[in-house]
Amino acid sequence: MKLVLLMSLLPGIILKDDCCTSIPEGSFSTTSGATDTPTGSASETEMDSQSETGVEPVPLDRAVVFVTRSWLRGDEALEAEVACAQEAATAGLSGNFIPWLALDGKSAASRLTPAKTVILPNGLIVSADWQALLDGELLFGIWAHVDGGDSADKPVWTGTQQGGTIGQTCEDWSVLSLTGTYGVAGKTTAGWTDSGTADCRTRMRVYCFQQS
């Protein structure tokens, strides 16, 4: 019923094709990944997102999110901001796009301004509630490139656990011999941001969130 209702509200949207793509070479571990059942409480996440300034940011009405076409090693993740900006500009999207990455000791959730509604570039609603996004209760997975291409089942660097808190970050995306937390594009559970850890030499994509 949820899918039917959403599609009636969003005419003309075409759902992605099923995809069975392979994950790039690299050493992966699923022992630390989040389970399908969210465990973080709203209060814990809200405290994390406000911890840097002590003031809750004013949420955006809407934010577009996409998966980069660029593949980045763990030590190249700092280039993600440039990749997000370039790919958005090439597609004609306005605004500032920030990668969903834990960085400089700050969680991904605290680095981004929350959005009341998160959508794919084609208008499909990923989440109508920011807390649900953090908890891994997505309406549709984040599977699309900025041009609408399909990136489902591809690994994505996040350094971010369920709830938006800091995970493993390859020592702030600088040491290849360590591991980083990654998600999997297209998942509607907490696995979108936390599906385990991987060798930092592995090349992955990055999520880009619109911030203005």
Side-chain angles (χ1 to χ4, degrees), residues 33-54:
T35 61
D36 286 348
T37 303
T39 58
S41 69
S43 59
E44 289 171 347
T45 304
E46 288 166 358
M47 288 176 63
D48 178 76
S49 65
Q50 298 173 37
S51 60
E52 302 300 327
T53 63

Side-chain angles (χ1 to χ4, degrees), residues 36-112:
D36 286 348
T37 303
T39 58
S41 69
S43 59
E44 289 171 347
T45 304
E46 288 166 358
M47 288 176 63
D48 178 76
S49 65
Q50 298 173 37
S51 60
E52 302 300 327
T53 63
V55 178
E56 184 176 1
V58 178
L60 304 170
D61 287 333
R62 186 181 79 162
V64 175
V65 62
F66 64 87
V67 184
T68 61
R69 284 196 174 276
S70 304
W71 293 93
L72 302 172
R73 280 194 325 239
D75 65 331
E76 297 171 332
L78 294 179
E79 301 173 20
E81 194 145 349
V82 174
C84 287
Q86 289 181 340
E87 294 188 24
T90 299
L93 286 181
S94 62
N96 186 30
F97 283 79
I98 300 296
W100 176 262
L101 285 173
L103 187 63
D104 294 331
K106 298 178 182 178
S107 67
S110 68
R111 292 181 62 244
L112 272 66

Side-chain angles (χ1 to χ4, degrees), residues 7 13 15 17 22 28-29 46 65 98 119 131 135 141 143 145 166-169 182-183 196 205 207 212:
M7 294 307 295
I13 291 175
L15 291 177
D17 295 328
S22 59
F28 291 81
S29 168
E46 288 166 358
V65 62
I98 300 296
I119 64 173
Q131 188 62 50
D135 288 341
W143 55 265
H145 295 303
I166 298 176
Q168 300 298 313
T169 64
Y182 73 96
R205 289 175 162 141
Y207 297 118
S212 63

Side-chain angles (χ1 to χ4, degrees), residues 191-212:
W192 78 270
T193 187
D194 185 4
S195 285
T197 58
D199 190 303
C200 294
R201 289 168 289 192
T202 309
R203 292 186 182 277
M204 299 191 190
R205 289 175 162 141
V206 177
Y207 297 118
C208 302
F209 279 76
Q210 187 178 31
Q211 291 291 277
S212 63

Side-chain angles (χ1 to χ4, degrees), residues 133-147:
L133 178 80
L134 300 182
D135 288 341
E137 300 173 356
L138 281 62
L139 300 175
F140 286 96
I142 305 170
W143 55 265
H145 295 303
V146 69
D147 59 5

